[in-house]
Amino acid sequence: MLRAMSKVNPSREAAARERRGLARDDIARAALDLLDEEGVDALSMRRLAERLGVGTMTLYGYFRSKDELLDAAVSEAAEDFVFTLPDGSLRERLRAHQQAARRLLARHPVIAQLRARQPVVQPAMFRITEGAMQILLEAGFPPDEAARVFRVLFVQVVGDALFNRDEPTAESRRRVRGALLSLPEDEFPAVTRAAEGIAASTGGPEQFDYAMELILDAVEARAARHSAASSHQ
């Protein structure tokens, strides 16, 4: 099937696509919408074709496989990453980057879902990496350490998207608090003592900000050591 498709005259195939009223980017965006609404497992060529009102084989004229379509959908999502390197301190610049990344993952939760399963290596996704790496390198981090710092920041924002994105409801907090307080206090003295705080920290933007500031404290301290070391050379 694929060998036969490869012999199609490119200009004739392009004309056929135009007659069908579809473009490759439009299909990828429709796939992204489906993924964001229903998750990674919801995507299939048949399901997407039904949504677009075309035959399944029509989609194979644009994408050779579901994996190729998934790659294109992720690349579409990355195009929505809006971030311009700001002026300011290292903390201010990294905070702005993390908040931009969080907005992207809130808009397209499929990115975090997919990353939990496998590496995401579409070139467009490295726009997120590029911005943070520029900030860290300009702050004086050696490339190897800048990469490790970025990894910490990346894990924080993806982990937040997977586990802490939504603000916990009052009911969910009550359930967590109740479960903690029902534990035997002699076995779990620290947990029961901190039950209120644990229940309050189960998600939402406040917890994201707290984690981010905690990490940025460490990044600033490490950057200061690099600055002091270079000034003594």
Side-chain angles (χ1 to χ4, degrees), residues 207-225:
Q207 179 58 27
F208 175 82
D209 290 342
Y210 181 87
M212 178 173 61
E213 296 303 323
L214 195 65
I215 292 170
L216 294 179
D217 284 346
V219 174
E220 274 193 332
R222 185 64 65 100
R225 288 203 292 272

Side-chain angles (χ1 to χ4, degrees), residues 22-188:
L22 290 173
R24 183 181 170 92
D25 289 349
D26 295 334
I27 296 171
R29 181 60 64 166
L32 176 60
D33 291 342
L34 176 59
L35 288 162
D36 283 337
E37 292 167 16
E38 302 185 32
V40 175
D41 294 329
L43 181 64
S44 70
M45 300 298 257
R46 179 187 60 79
R47 184 87 181 278
L48 184 61
E50 290 175 355
R51 175 176 281 218
L52 290 170
V54 300
T56 303
M57 294 310 297
T58 298
L59 298 186
Y60 283 103
Y62 297 84
F63 298 97
R64 292 169 294 180
S65 67
K66 174 184 169 180
D67 286 343
E68 185 177 318
L69 174 60
L70 185 59
D71 286 348
V74 171
S75 294
E76 278 290 310
E79 293 300 321
D80 293 332
F81 180 61
V82 179
F83 180 71
T84 302
L85 280 174
D87 296 327
S89 67
L90 172 62
R91 177 181 288 265
E92 291 167 339
R93 300 179 90 198
L94 286 178
R95 184 189 293 123
H97 181 275
Q98 287 293 89
Q99 290 169 340
R102 188 174 194 264
R103 287 193 295 270
L104 177 70
L105 297 184
R107 180 174 179 180
H108 299 301
V110 67
I111 297 174
Q113 295 167 12
L114 185 61
R115 183 60 190 85
R117 300 184 180 196
Q118 64 191 56
V120 177
V121 293
Q122 286 73 25
M125 284 301 300
F126 287 105
R127 294 173 60 204
I128 300 174
T129 310
E130 178 65 20
M133 288 295 291
Q134 284 189 34
I135 294 168
L136 292 165
L137 291 172
E138 289 173 10
F141 283 94
D144 288 351
E145 188 171 2
R148 292 187 181 278
V149 172
F150 170 72
R151 183 68 178 181
V152 172
L153 295 166
F154 176 80
V155 169
Q156 188 240 338
V157 76
V158 172
D160 175 82
L162 289 171
F163 302 112
N164 298 328
R165 183 185 64 182
D166 298 326
E167 183 72 45
T169 64
E171 176 58 28
S172 69
R173 283 186 166 134
R174 278 195 297 270
R175 286 201 306 270
V176 172
R177 184 170 56 250
L180 297 174
L181 291 175
S182 69
L183 295 170
E185 191 171 352
D186 59 336
E187 293 183 44
F188 300 94

